[in-house]
Amino acid sequence: MSKAQEKNAEEGILQYLTKQNRPYSAIDVYNNLHKVYGKTVVVKVLESLAQEGKIREKLNGKQKAYVVDQSQFPDVPESEMKFMEKKITDLSEKLKTAQANLRQHQTELKGLTSSMSTEEARIQLGVINNQCNACKAKIAAFEAGGKRVTPEEREKVMKMREKYVSAWKKRRRMANDILDTILESYPKPKKALYEDVGIETDEEYNVKIPSK
């Protein structure tokens, strides 16, 4: 880096620290100045300014912080300090209120952007209406020419179903009891017995006994 570039970096960094008048680490200065100067340049300039007495170097644990020499600033009257503290408090409260309003507006905006637009709602309504009309047409066709099942016929079918399901459960239970008895003295696993005898299970065909 040339002498002119180094001088320019010194002036820029010193001007920034003077304007902000608060301690910063080298990384803070590097980032806050939007990386205009290289990280190595920032560290070198800060150390140089500290050696010249233009800024003060403070060690905070393992990290160094730099701040301008406060002796160059005039003493601030107590009344002005209190005024500034009150102003800071007022501004902090305004900031909290503004942040709360921002969060509320962001939530409202998110809700609005995630909702359907009027045009999208119209299209969706049209799709649903078409589906309803198709269902109505099917119902009308069944009512006009389809054969209806009377309550008596339905009851008869349900009783037959109950009878067959009951028989299914009974025979399944009997078969399992017989197989369990055989397995007590069978030298092979259950799967081998099923294969040897040629037994097909409900599970093999993904068949389940109706619960009702």
Side-chain angles (χ1 to χ4, degrees):
M1 183 173 63
S2 65
K3 290 291 184 180
Q5 290 175 326
E6 185 174 346
K7 183 68 175 177
N8 180 57
E10 286 183 0
E11 291 177 354
I13 293 172
L14 182 58
Q15 182 181 7
Y16 173 74
L17 290 175
T18 303
K19 182 179 179 180
Q20 299 299 320
N21 192 23
R22 54 172 293 182
Y24 286 112
S25 67
I27 296 298
D28 292 333
V29 174
Y30 170 71
N31 289 327
N32 294 348
L33 290 177
H34 308 293
K35 305 177 183 180
V36 173
Y37 312 110
K39 192 180 298 183
T40 304
V41 174
V42 171
V43 172
K44 181 179 179 181
V45 167
L46 288 172
E47 291 178 348
S48 176
L49 290 172
Q51 290 175 359
E52 293 174 7
K54 295 180 180 179
I55 62 175
R56 300 298 182 192
E57 180 183 277
K58 296 183 178 181
L59 191 62
N60 184 16
K62 294 184 179 181
Q63 189 178 47
K64 294 180 181 179
Y66 300 91
V67 64
V68 293
D69 185 4
Q70 299 299 299
S71 62
Q72 64 178 299
F73 300 106
D75 293 336
V76 180
E78 184 69 20
S79 59
E80 186 173 348
M81 288 289 293
K82 290 182 178 180
F83 173 78
M84 292 177 66
E85 289 175 357
K86 185 178 183 306
K87 188 173 182 180
I88 290 172
T89 302
D90 293 341
L91 290 174
S92 297
E93 290 299 321
K94 289 182 179 179
L95 176 61
K96 289 181 181 179
T97 302
Q99 288 174 334
N101 290 334
L102 175 61
R103 287 192 294 270
Q104 180 181 351
H105 291 147
Q106 286 176 333
T107 302
E108 293 176 357
L109 178 61
K110 185 178 180 180
L112 291 172
T113 53
S114 62
S115 301
M116 286 192 296
S117 65
T118 303
E119 184 60 29
E120 289 172 337
R122 287 199 184 100
I123 294 173
Q124 186 68 19
L125 178 60
V127 171
I128 294 174
N129 284 336
N130 290 336
Q131 292 174 346
C132 288
N133 292 333
C135 290
K136 289 178 181 178
K138 288 182 179 180
I139 293 172
F142 281 122
E143 290 179 343
K147 181 180 178 181
R148 296 188 183 184
V149 178
T150 65
E152 292 77 13
E153 290 174 327
R154 183 181 184 279
E155 181 68 21
K156 182 179 179 180
V157 171
M158 292 303 295
K159 285 183 177 180
M160 290 178 61
R161 177 180 181 275
E162 184 178 347
K163 176 183 176 181
Y164 293 143
V165 169
S166 179
W168 182 359
K169 291 180 179 179
K170 182 178 179 180
R171 296 189 181 189
R172 176 187 170 96
R173 185 169 57 252
M174 291 172 60
N176 285 331
D177 290 342
I178 293 171
L179 290 169
D180 289 340
T181 302
I182 296 173
L183 283 169
E184 290 178 1
S185 58
Y186 196 72
K188 299 179 182 179
K190 181 189 289 187
K191 184 177 181 181
L193 172 62
Y194 284 14
E195 291 177 353
D196 292 342
V197 179
I199 295 176
E200 297 178 343
T201 65
D202 293 336
E203 291 77 14
E204 186 177 349
Y205 292 93
N206 197 26
V207 176
K208 295 181 180 179
I209 297 178
S211 58
K212 293 183 180 180

